[in-house]
Amino acid sequence: MKKLSFLLLCFMGWVSAQKLTSNELAIINQGDINTALPIYQTTDPNQHQTLLNLSNEIDPMDPNTITLVKRMKASLLSTDGGVGIAAPQVGVNRKIIWVQRFDKKDNPIEYFINPVIVWRSDIQNLGPEGDLSIPEFRDQFYKSKVIQLEYVDLKGQKYSEIIEGFTAVIFQHEVDHLFGILISDKKEKEKNDAYLKVDAYQKVKE
């Protein structure tokens, strides 16, 4: 009985957490639902703060969710070569991302609701990254080569995938956005990290 009450409490908390705020609804439903939403930029202080905020889960069955998903796709397609976008980048701190799947035939772009990376490989690749929200910024970053992702679709159906290579890099980048993590901040933090260089093949002195 206690277990049932606990699960009911968790469920009620989950449901209440999904409710979109009046501000979020205003952003999602402003203008034509078939048009792109403006992409937030770090150069604007208010937009920058939104990009730094944590995102909450969203109810996949809420009619407003499909509107947001649709408009996010339009926003991504409006860019010059963008390969991914997260909801905070259009002003809504909710867990939705779009990613171009270079690991699939014809490189489709696909949406993911409430995505969670449940496992990352220790093996990492170093490669270039940019960001639609950070003008003229590009640098080299380490990302796990392989990840396991769990997410739901607009019907609430749950999925789990193993994703590799450059597509895995895009997923990690977009999920970082849901935690308010920007690559420019990560690079700044790395500058302050101190590393001790060790020669792993140094011969032991006799």
Side-chain angles (χ1 to χ4, degrees), residues 4-200:
L4 183 61
S5 298
F6 174 74
L7 291 174
L8 182 60
L9 184 64
C10 289
F11 176 75
M12 290 175 65
W14 183 82
V15 169
S16 64
Q18 309 314 303
K19 291 182 179 178
L20 291 161
T21 67
S22 57
N23 184 57
E24 289 172 331
L25 289 170
I27 292 172
I28 294 167
N29 295 303
Q30 66 180 355
D32 189 335
I33 64 169
N34 295 310
T35 59
L37 288 164
I39 297 176
Y40 276 34
Q41 301 294 306
T42 55
T43 48
D44 180 294
N46 292 327
Q47 294 182 5
H48 191 187
Q49 185 55 55
T50 297
L51 292 166
L52 295 175
N53 290 339
L54 289 173
S55 292
N56 297 313
E57 290 193 344
I58 193 167
D59 181 359
M61 311 280 217
D62 187 324
N64 295 288
T65 301
I66 190 169
T67 301
L68 178 55
V69 167
K70 195 172 184 179
R71 299 196 71 183
M72 283 177 62
K73 181 180 182 181
S75 297
L76 179 58
L77 292 176
S78 72
T79 67
D80 183 15
V83 294
I85 195 169
Q89 292 180 280
V90 295
V92 181
N93 287 117
R94 295 288 174 160
K95 293 184 177 181
I96 302 176
I97 62 174
W98 277 90
V99 169
Q100 185 162 7
R101 299 295 301 263
F102 291 99
D103 56 340
K104 290 186 175 183
K105 185 181 178 182
D106 298 326
N107 303 333
I109 59 170
E110 299 177 352
Y111 74 89
F112 302 84
I113 298 174
N114 300 331
V116 179
I117 297 175
V118 296
W119 175 83
R120 302 171 191 251
S121 67
D122 290 333
I123 299 174
Q124 297 184 322
N125 284 335
L126 178 64
E129 287 184 53
D131 195 298
L132 297 175
S133 294
I134 311 174
E136 299 178 2
F137 181 87
R138 195 168 181 82
D139 215 316
Q140 298 281 324
F141 294 88
Y142 283 100
K143 287 287 195 300
S144 292
K145 186 176 181 179
V146 186
I147 62 168
Q148 181 178 354
L149 186 83
E150 293 183 355
Y151 61 94
V152 298
D153 62 15
L154 285 166
K155 296 179 180 178
Q157 178 67 44
K158 295 181 180 179
Y159 298 90
S160 180
E161 280 192 61
I162 298 293
I163 303 156
E164 304 181 21
F166 181 53
T167 303
V169 170
I170 304 171
F171 272 103
Q172 290 170 83
H173 178 107
E174 300 309 331
V175 169
D176 272 353
H177 268 298
L178 304 182
F179 289 91
I181 299 170
L182 301 176
I183 55 174
S184 53
D185 296 332
K186 290 181 80 168
K187 183 55 65 174
E188 192 62 32
K189 181 180 179 299
E190 286 177 6
K191 290 178 183 177
N192 298 324
D193 288 340
Y195 295 94
L196 178 63
K197 188 174 181 181
V198 177
D199 184 354

